Amino acid sequence: TGKDTSEASVSSPGETVPEPAKMPTTEPSGEATASESPGQEQAPEPQKPGSQALDPAAPEDAAVPATTKPDPPSEDVPSAPLQLTLEDVSHSSVTVSWEPPEKLGKLGLQGYVLELCREGASEWVPVNPRPVMVTQQTVRNLALGDKFFLRVTAVSPSGAGPAAVLDQPVHIQELIEAPKIRVPRHLRQTYIRQAGESINLQIPFQGKPKPQASWTHNGHALDSQRVNVRSGDQDSILFIRSAQRSDSGRYELTVHLEGLEAKANIDILVIEKPGPPSSIRLLDVWGCNAALEWTPPQDTGNTELLGYTVQKADKKTGQWFTVLERYHPTTCTISDLIIGNSYSFRVFSENLCGLSDSATTTKELAHIQKADMTAKPKGFVERDFSEAPSFTQPLADHTSTPGYSTQLFCSVRASPKPKIIWMKNKMDIQGDPKYRAVSEQGICTLEIRKPSPFDSGVYTCKAINVLGEASVDCRLEVKASATH
């Protein structure tokens, strides 16, 4: 047969079941009897405990309530249901299942009655007042902390058979969710703060019921005068109003829940500006150079140094100029000092918070002496740049339209500066107002103003100086406009 299911509420409002048939919520010893209705057979009366021996496998505090030893089974009464099993237990309900009995009785099976008896009580209270034909049943609306036994009886028209009883009591308690801490990403590495700043850490966690959170600092309890902790249902907050270097270290958050725990470590580093170098001295001065040496500071500000900043100042002006920044060695050579000047030097320490508030300055000055030097000028041979004229860009043939001014270009190189002569058909055209000749930076230009077909011909540019001459030619064609 397929397995059917049914649900029964401990105290369902609006139900017409007599009051004794309901599950007691505050009075575990209240009597409970099945209701009787017309046309239905009466459910079996709960058997009174007294003669049944306790299960030897059950502990003393979880003893099954004694039940009356039934009469020898007859062929009319069904046998006890088989394999009564606890399927599920939640914070407010319990589900049990069973198999039909081997013997159903001559008149057949009418149904099953599930009964409940609270621990310490002696009365069995029916969960369902009438027999139901299901082999799985859920009891709801149970209270946290309830502890009770369950049994089921098969019922036929001839009466109820023996009961099948759960060996162990059922305990209704809140479901436990293992605690888990979720550390924010920025706190998974060392959390760095400057001295005087506030520290506010909010660490979320999970767990049901509400877990208990506790903090330690380097394995010891927190100083309640400096550190404030507030823990809620889902997170824990650690707050320090003004951080000090003594607050650095490892903070451990532990979340406890019913014997389970989760831990998370958070490393905090509180830093401040470093002290200046312990000492500095001028090692040597030669030429335009000075060598310095210093010792590291006694206080690095609770973190690593990023380097040193070296500055120099001329005695005349007293203004400081940075020579080296974030310089890691403790010795250096400063070059390019001005001859005749005297210099002071100072060194700052630097970490993540910045430069030290003060610097260590050299006590003695570095004097850059003037050396006796005689200028020995080298012999200078003047180069002759004289050059005969040569055209670097010749004239190009050109076609023009009558009435529109046109220009001819070429470039020439010569030293000394050459004389430029323009010719048309080997005739000198200088002084003709129709032509305008310009020569600048070696670029020679001839502008022909509003040419006509008569201006067509061969144009020549000639350059002449004392070393020689050169010339270039081009053809200009002025086409007459077509007339209709």
Side-chain angles (χ1 to χ4, degrees), residues 195-321:
E197 294 181 344
S198 63
I199 297 177
N200 189 7
L201 306 181
Q202 183 176 7
I203 312 299
F205 56 77
Q206 297 175 344
K208 287 185 178 180
K210 178 183 176 182
Q212 298 296 322
S214 61
W215 289 84
T216 61
H217 178 209
N218 294 332
H220 303 286
L222 299 179
D223 182 4
S224 59
Q225 300 296 327
R226 292 192 39 75
V227 184
N228 296 320
V229 173
R230 182 181 64 82
S231 297
D233 294 342
Q234 298 179 349
D235 60 13
S236 181
I237 298 176
L238 182 143
F239 179 73
I240 302 176
R241 185 174 301 279
S242 179
Q244 298 178 0
R245 289 169 62 170
S246 60
D247 297 323
S248 302
R250 171 161 292 186
Y251 289 79
E252 184 179 71
L253 171 62
T254 304
V255 178
H256 301 272
L257 176 61
E258 299 289 340
L260 304 174
E261 69 176 14
K263 294 184 177 182
N265 294 325
I266 300 173
D267 294 322
I268 297 178
L269 181 63
V270 181
I271 63 176
E272 56 187 352
K273 290 184 177 180
S278 301
S279 62
I280 185 174
R281 64 192 184 100
L282 185 64
L283 294 179
D284 192 14
V285 178
W286 72 98
C288 297
N289 309 295
L292 301 175
E293 182 182 35
W294 60 89
T295 55
Q298 296 180 355
D299 181 13
T300 61
N302 203 27
T303 185
E304 295 181 355
L305 292 178
L306 298 180
Y308 301 94
T309 297
V310 182
Q311 295 181 343
K312 67 178 181 180
D314 183 5
K315 182 180 178 181
K316 296 179 181 178
T317 61
Q319 295 182 352
W320 292 96
F321 297 93

Side-chain angles (χ1 to χ4, degrees), residues 90-108:
S90 70
H91 65 282
S92 63
S93 66
V94 60
T95 301
V96 292
S97 66
W98 58 88
E99 297 293 337
E102 293 181 356
K103 298 179 181 180
L104 302 180
K106 285 185 177 182
L107 300 179

